[in-house]
Amino acid sequence: MKAIIKRYIPPIILNYLRELYIRYLIYTQPRRHRKALKRLQRKDKIKVAFFATHSSVWKYDYLYRLMVKHSRFEPIIIVCPVVNYGMENMLQEMDQRYNMFHPRKYNVIRSYNVDTQEYLDVKTEINPDIIFYTNPYKGVIDDRYYISKFLDKLTCYAPYGYAMSNNENVLFNLPFHNLLWKVFYETDIHKELAQQYAINAGVNVVTSGYLLFDEFNFHKQQCKYIKSSNKKIIIWAPHHTIEDNSNTYGYSCFLEYSEIFINLRDEYKDIIYWIFKPHPILREKLYKHPLWGKTKTEQYYNNWNDSDYSEINEGDYTDIFLKSDAMILDSISFVAEYFYTKKPLLFTTKDETILNKFNRFGKEVFKHIYKSRKVEEIKEFIDNVVLRSQDPLYENRNQFYENVLFKKNVSKNILNILEIEIGLNNN
């Protein structure tokens, strides 16, 4: 039937019909949520599934632990298949995620069985009442687990990074955002942007604060990353957009700076310890880059890991943020997050058009960080701000943190909202 439709109906009409259907789903979705909520309210135990993908976008740790202690919630983590970079990468990512959760004795399962080559039927085998997503983009996880398959469930999402780019339709107005039961945004500015750009005018949006704050606030004393010396620690975090020079993306300076940062690492080896924190997608993109490829990429990554004065971190980064002294980056999702450490950061840029790539929130953040367009400015940041502790942006940066970013007990805020919606606070 699909083949016949595609054959006889022009693409422009098909796209129009798809858009109408999506708008119909968005318009009728609150009714499905009300029905799901009524079913859930009659239950003694509420199953909550967390659809986990990359470790770097896992921000629900504290919320999961709160639910484990709760008398009414039964949380489970389902490691979902990341399919946009092939089967080999999918299996590797699933193993890494499972091995991150399992030692913590979390209730975790894989969604793909390697032996039987079968995918988990979540509705049949788990049948969750509430689902928390870690990534909003269609095509990242297998379609079996995308929100369109769970319209009869109470679906939730809290962003894995601060939304800073000017691509508001992608950040706030995907079908995903409009079909969710609850979206837990970071700040009031993000709520206002959702109300402005989303088809549903942000009726499902709540300002809860940013989830990673819980990790910073509640687990500073449990930080596992220990300095091996008195050296300063600098994180270098390059973005993955090496192929995109458009006004929307194209933040990455990695191709221009890859060897320069090796040289900087070697130059400052006696006084600085470096942590290479690449975006998780960067490696796969370098594999396919005509001037890099898999061999060169692996050699480069190993160079960082095999050195006595540097390492790679491709997983959870709360510990290294807390123990670091500064960050150099072009990865926008880290910019506002690093404000929580109250330490300086430098954003490397290609040209003056960088401000055109930020939304209202991003432009506010960008006022309070150091910027560079050349190597000499990077060295000036290292010499003066990091090594000599001359940080003239400190006061303004932290005032912005206190006035805009800071929210107490974010996971508890989310849990309280769920309790109120479900009616658990009346029991």
Side-chain angles (χ1 to χ4, degrees), residues 12 19 54 68 161 227 277 287 319 323-324 370 398:
I12 189 170
E19 180 65 24
H54 302 96
V68 169
K227 285 187 180 182
K277 177 60 180 168
Y287 284 169
D319 289 352
K323 288 298 184 182
S324 65
Y370 298 95
N398 285 291

Side-chain angles (χ1 to χ4, degrees), residues 176-287:
F176 175 87
H177 299 111
N178 289 279
L179 292 171
L180 288 161
W181 176 52
K182 296 294 177 187
V183 192
F184 299 100
Y185 277 131
E186 313 95 286
T187 69
D188 289 333
I189 296 176
H190 292 95
K191 181 176 181 178
E192 291 167 8
L193 289 169
Q195 291 170 336
Q196 179 180 355
Y197 290 100
I199 292 173
N200 68 359
V203 296
N204 55 350
V205 170
V206 178
T207 301
S208 62
Y210 187 58
L211 275 170
L212 192 64
F213 176 72
D214 289 341
E215 296 300 314
F216 287 129
N217 190 46
F218 295 106
H219 300 287
K220 287 181 180 179
Q221 303 305 317
Q222 300 178 20
C223 187
K224 299 176 182 178
Y225 191 92
I226 306 299
K227 285 187 180 182
S228 58
S229 68
N230 292 323
K231 294 180 179 180
K232 296 285 188 179
I233 295 177
I234 295 179
I235 302 169
W236 178 41
H239 202 235
H240 67 85
T241 48
I242 57 175
E243 79 294 347
D244 193 332
N245 292 312
S246 70
N247 286 332
T248 301
Y249 297 115
Y251 303 101
S252 178
C253 301
F254 177 82
L255 297 179
E256 294 82 359
Y257 282 136
S258 58
E259 291 304 316
I260 288 173
F261 272 94
I262 291 288
N263 295 334
L264 287 171
R265 180 199 66 179
D266 295 343
E267 179 180 347
Y268 288 93
K269 65 181 181 180
D270 294 329
I271 50 179
I272 294 176
Y273 187 81
W274 293 81
I275 300 175
F276 178 47
K277 177 60 180 168
H279 192 285
I281 300 177
L282 178 61
R283 186 194 292 262
E284 290 294 327
K285 287 193 174 182
L286 288 173
Y287 284 169

Side-chain angles (χ1 to χ4, degrees), residues 121-162:
D121 186 334
V122 172
K123 279 194 174 183
T124 301
E125 301 183 45
I126 306 298
N127 192 26
D129 302 295
I130 300 174
I131 297 172
F132 276 86
Y133 281 88
T134 55
N135 191 297
Y137 304 117
K138 184 174 175 59
V140 173
I141 59 174
D142 188 277
D143 280 350
R144 292 172 179 84
Y145 308 104
Y146 191 63
I147 192 171
S148 57
K149 304 298 183 182
F150 298 95
L151 297 180
D152 59 335
K153 302 294 183 181
L154 298 178
T155 49
C156 304
Y157 174 64
Y160 62 82
Y162 278 94

